[in-house]
Amino acid sequence: EPASQGLGIDEEVSVQKRARVPNVKLDEERHLDPLTRGRRLLGPAGLPKLRQRARNLRFKGKGHEFSDASRLLSFYQMWLDDLFPKAKFLDALAMVEKVGHKKRVVVARNELMNEGKPKPRDEED
Amino acid sequence: ADGAGDIVHPEVRAHISSLVSALGGIALDDDGQYQLGDDALEVLRDLKRWIRFYDEKTNRMDVARCIHEANLIEGDLLPILKAWPENAMDNKFRSRIALACFELMVPLTWPMERDKERMTVNHHRHLPVLELAQVQYKRAIINFDGARILHAAVRAALPAMALPIGDRTARDQGIIKLVLFFLRNMASIAPPPDGKYDGDESHISRSATIDAFSYQDIFHVLLTMASNMGEDFRTEDTTVMEIIYHLVKQVEIDKLFMDERQLNQAKASELSAMMKKEAVMLKSQNRMGPTRHNRFGTMIWVKRDDGKMSSLSGQDALADSTTRNKKMDDNKTFKPARRARKDNKDERDLGPRVKLNARANDQLRNFVEEFIDSGFNPLFLHIRKTIDREAPHLLAHHRRQYFYLVAWFLEAERVGRKVKKSNSPDVDDNDVNRFHLVAGVLNQEMFITLNRALHESYDMKDWTELTAVMRCFTQILLTVQEMTELGNEDDQEIAENVLSRLFYEEATHDAIANIIRTYKDQRFDYLDAATELVHHFLRILEAYSKQNVDMQVRFKKRSRRKKKQATKEGDGGENAEEDLDDSADDEEAAERTSKERKFDFHKFCSRFTPQGVVDTFATFTKYYRDLTDVQLKRAHRYFYRVAFKQGMSVMLFRVDIINLFYTMIKGPNQLDRSASLYKDWEELVKQILRKCTQKIQERPELLVELLFSKIQGTAFFLEYGYEKQTASKS
């Protein structure tokens, strides 16, 4: 019996790539069915949270345009940081914008818009 | 590598080197003249055959490589040409030898194409060496002390050029072509863009080329040929154009028309402006920079909503909340997947902007002025006809070069006149009608060609050509506008006519609106050209439609199919009936008929408010640190128009655009405060931001919509608080 056998050199070692941890899509889970797309944005940490936090957003108005804008921007930045902690501000904005064209999100956006519209007569009655 | 590490076949190398040594050599006696070998002419012909039947037929570059290694051009051909004195024109043998030399030099200096379909492993092996070899050839040829090689080339073609066009044989035509190609190659060779050339750039720079062209009287040849185009010369038009193209491309026109003193002044002020810019940049860096050593170890907590905390390290985090936010952002490393940029094969064609020295500047300016006076109309008229009839000698890149050159010379004409006028304001230039000099590109046929090229290059996605077309369009608009302002009465009438024709076709309006709306990832040059065209088109059309209140445009009727669809979607009853009537008519004809209707500028403008257009201009503005004042003004006017003239400021309310505006004025990399347009921008941004916060308070739902692109209907509702009343919905 050759010595090499004892060392196990001749035995075939299975070289297999370790499965990579799937790259989580920040905006959506693409492999899930299309209906669930954009669900993180519509989930509790998404738009509802944004609207809830907006109640604390105050602007100073005329003469303070730039500080107001700064406040507004950091408001969005903090919200996005909670929503997609990995992505940079501008990248996250681009992602959200992209998801904005998904049907579910469009529907949700329209609902929000309709809340703001003057209500038709029959509902008032 | 084949054989013993040699990259070309050893036999090929042996053949070539024996041929080169049989060509001749430097005599050993004192004067060191070049002695021709006994069969020099045959040797030259053999070399030519090797190039043609080995390199070109089998698509290799081995012979060219061997010739480069044997130093044929510098060591043999140039000394041979030196021995062809100017008074020896009658020496038949000598002129034959000279011609044979050029027949070799033309293929050796031919521009290299990186056409992926045709490239073999040999191309990849030889191209980098041969590109550098060509640069060396150019350096040797235009700086050769012993003789004026370019001039010698023209001399070789003179007998053929002197003949009337009808008497020229095919061989004569070939000689003229050959020499023009030689000049073209000399003009077009430039060091490869990745900076592999380590020789002295000043020997091969554009300035050196222009100097050589001027000193060797090539400009005269070009002027003669251009002004006789269509009479003594016909198929040479595109090659002459190519030579001029490679000479003037990317030359800055406003610098061209400065004299030496002004040029020095401009360069000095440019330098001081750059230094100031750098100082400001350093100062802003310093303000952010640490005041203690880098291991000082500051660490802070940032309190956030919902009782969360984030930690940040470094002293600069203490500065203010903007810096903190930026720091938190910069610490993130994730990058979303992006598609790789496509490698553009035309990328190296235009190259960077060219800086000329004062001497070359003068020489080129003289050439440009003389060319506009004599050669502009004949040459460009002729090439336009060549393009229209799609002549066999027309290549794909000629169209692009044509539009580029027309734009360049129109601008040069305008700038040149302005400079002249400011230098001597008393001289009235009404006696010479200046616009006649460029009338060749202001006729109806030109507009048809231009329009067709605009549509075709857009459809074919040929962005480089489309860039050239858009620049040309812009320059024509500007020239015509100047005609209405400065010209005498005749000129004004002509200009009115031209404008009415330019603005008559609604298809053109559509094309321009489409181009700007569908911008995506093209190069900056394209972006610049597109925004420039839109800016001037809107501006001049606005002025024109104000003057001509009942302006008419021709528009195409919608095709029947579309109407049917619209009917299905529940249009009003009246419309549906009309459609039915239409469909009863001849179907094909219905699709093609066109009608006239009154032009409504405000409505037309609303085509430039969709999100796509806003995004394009926002992308353009993102380069604000590098934009010139003119470009900044262009963006400023556009946003002003959208927000306040069209009343669609809501289109600008998206977080990334607001962020862009904010950082432009207040961010760490803000717009240069001393820039002349800083005040304008600050005011505009301030107004927009104020309007934005007001709108948010008015309509809280905007907070969500601020994240997304908006369609017109949504934007209208947010802006005015009610649905837009449209005819179809009534």
Side-chain angles (χ1 to χ4, degrees), chain B residues 326-344:
Chain B
K326 192 170 172 340
K327 216 171 151 83
M328 276 167 72
D329 214 39
D330 289 344
N331 286 340
K332 299 179 178 178
T333 53
F334 170 80
K335 281 203 181 78
R338 285 207 179 88
R339 213 186 303 160
R341 287 202 80 157
K342 258 191 230 160
D343 191 27
N344 190 342

Side-chain angles (χ1 to χ4, degrees), chain A residues 49 53-54 65-66 70 74 76-78 81-82 85 87-91 96-97 100 109 113 117, chain B residues 304-306 308 325 329 332 334 336 338 659 662 686 690 697 703 705-706 708-709 714 717 723:
Chain A
K49 181 69 122 199
R53 282 194 192 173
E65 287 84 3
F66 290 104
S70 164
S74 67
Y76 279 108
Q77 190 182 341
M78 289 307 150
D81 187 59
D82 291 339
K88 293 190 182 198
F89 182 39
L90 288 179
D91 292 338
V96 169
E97 205 282 323
R109 276 167 67 188
M113 289 275 289
K117 279 181 192 171
Chain B
R304 300 175 37 177
D305 286 355
D306 307 336
K308 276 192 197 168
N325 286 348
D329 214 39
K332 299 179 178 178
F334 170 80
R338 285 207 179 88
N659 186 50
Y662 179 77
K686 205 167 153 186
R690 181 190 301 164
Q697 280 162 339
L703 266 176
E705 284 304 304
L706 212 53
F708 305 107
S709 294
T714 317
F717 170 73
E723 301 266 359

